Amino acid sequence: MWTQHQLTLPPQRRGFHLITREVVAAVPELAGVQVGLLHVWIQHTSASLTVNENASPDVRRDFERYFNHAVPDGWREFEHTLEGPDDMAAHIKASVLGPSLLLPVSGGRLALGRWQGIFLCEHRDHASARRLVLTLQGEEKQAGK
């Protein structure tokens, strides 16, 4: 079986935002899949997705500090500057982290590890809403199993 949904997330401040619940809620068919894959794609070039620890907010803040240090806003060597000092840095961060995730589904649930969560990585100071395309493929649960 295949199904696809679009999820629009409200604008977020710059940072790493846990979105696992929103993703799962947007794909109700997930509960009926015995084994499969959920592909999560972000339709933007200045935000990205990652999976990492979902327990400690320190991890999210450290990710933000690291990426801001590694790719600073307004670096004088950037040529693409018309959309503000955070724009080109956001594009680079988004390319490094990536626009998609491929997540295993097992027994009607995402097969994430105990401390893993899905994160929207917002790299702009004043971002717009972000659109995700969620594509589920898999073998449906058999009745009575």
Side-chain angles (χ1 to χ4, degrees):
M1 72 80 101
W2 287 81
T3 188
Q4 189 171 76
H5 296 276
Q6 191 170 77
L7 170 62
T8 301
L9 298 168
Q12 298 284 343
R13 63 178 167 31
R14 184 193 292 228
F16 288 69
H17 306 279
L18 186 62
I19 60 166
T20 309
R21 286 187 181 140
E22 291 89 338
V23 169
V24 170
V27 188
E29 299 89 347
L30 187 71
V33 173
Q34 183 60 37
V35 62
L37 295 168
L38 178 64
H39 184 256
V40 184
W41 175 265
I42 190 165
Q43 295 182 307
H44 301 275
T45 60
S46 58
S48 55
L49 301 167
T50 195
V51 170
N52 217 290
E53 181 181 320
N54 66 3
S56 172
D58 294 346
V59 172
R60 298 189 291 270
R61 290 189 295 268
D62 286 344
F63 262 98
E64 182 62 22
R65 276 192 287 278
Y66 169 79
F67 279 99
N68 288 338
H69 174 76
V71 187
D73 291 351
W75 185 46
R76 62 187 168 103
E77 298 296 322
F78 288 149
E79 292 183 33
H80 177 75
T81 59
L82 294 177
E83 296 178 58
D86 65 341
D87 188 50
M88 190 59 221
H91 291 314
I92 292 171
K93 293 170 190 176
S95 287
V96 169
L97 285 163
S100 70
L101 301 170
L102 187 59
L103 305 169
V105 176
S106 181
R109 302 179 65 171
L110 292 178
L112 294 171
R114 179 177 184 172
W115 303 112
Q116 290 180 315
I118 302 169
F119 289 90
L120 166 68
C121 314
E122 181 53 68
H123 306 301
R124 298 292 310 263
D125 286 329
H126 304 288
S128 60
R130 299 300 191 177
R131 289 180 318 279
L132 305 180
V133 177
L134 311 170
T135 306
L136 176 64
Q137 65 180 41
E139 180 181 315
E140 294 180 88
K141 291 180 181 179
Q142 299 298 315
K145 289 187 179 182

